[in-house]
Amino acid sequence: MLQIKITIILFLFSFVCAFSQTDSTIIFDFNTGEIKEKNNRITPKAIGVSLVKDRFGNEQSAAYLHGNPSSYLNLGTSSLLKPIYGSISIWVNLDRHIYAGKGSEANPIISTKNGIQDDFNYAYNLSYDFKSKRLFAISHKDSTQEINIRSENEFLFNNWYHLVFTFNSSQFAFYINGKLQQTASKQFSLNYLTGDSVIIGNSASKKNDRYSQGTFDDIQFFHHALSPSEVLELYEAPNPNKTKQFIIESTKYIAIVIIFILII
């Protein structure tokens, strides 16, 4: 009987700990009303950023950029943001085209560089293209090799989109709202410029100087290529405030059960 009690207690304890242990994923979700990484492993810099409602209507739970050179989110230079094989997930709701600026005709969503050159310099980049009115995901080796995947449909402003791109040793894939857009053969390894930051909403380039206006949320970095089912799970993730409350109440209940078992 004692052994059974111990087994039950260990099981319940592991269940509780499952919700409190550090997640290996890097997450910027702003659900605490702060611009920070969920587990404080990276310290972002918010320049001219406002906290606004997220897609669920939660107050001060998403980052709003104002569409000018002095409004962007710098996530930092950590290698945790620069996987060789990985996935990047972000929710975006852009207000409008921002035509101001110069160079490439695109509003940047997220990017980091592979070198100091002015062109073909993105290790990865996700942007809205003025001419095609579509989103596109890009990765460059250099001027000799490029991956460029565009969305199937035109982008609609003032709508929330869940965007994910994944990459492994041989393939690059782009998803929108849980649906695969395209895959492309990838014949090169990603190379990252040491010391270059991952930037949200700004191209961080003198030649191609562009920026975006809109709301950004739930920015996540994974060190493996997500499967289609994992991408869909992210897209269908529930309101975090309701989920958090459920976890808190469940944890309290489990704690009570553990105490009761120990008493008897």
Side-chain angles (χ1 to χ4, degrees), residues 17-32:
C17 290
F19 292 108
S20 60
Q21 64 186 357
T22 301
D23 188 345
S24 60
T25 304
I26 299 299
I27 303 174
F28 301 87
D29 61 14
F30 320 115
N31 292 329
T32 60

Side-chain angles (χ1 to χ4, degrees), residues 29-36 49-64 160 215-218 240-241:
D29 61 14
F30 320 115
N31 292 329
T32 60
E34 300 175 86
I35 297 176
K36 58 181 290 189
V49 178
S50 302
L51 286 172
V52 297
K53 290 182 180 179
D54 65 12
R55 64 190 182 280
F56 300 107
N58 299 314
E59 298 285 351
Q60 294 190 314
S61 297
Y64 185 82
W160 279 104
T215 310
F216 300 78
D217 197 14
D218 292 334
N241 282 4

Side-chain angles (χ1 to χ4, degrees), residues 131-144:
K131 292 183 177 180
S132 67
K133 299 181 181 179
R134 284 171 166 77
L135 297 170
F136 63 86
I138 283 179
S139 180
H140 298 126
K141 176 185 179 183
D142 49 34
S143 61
T144 65

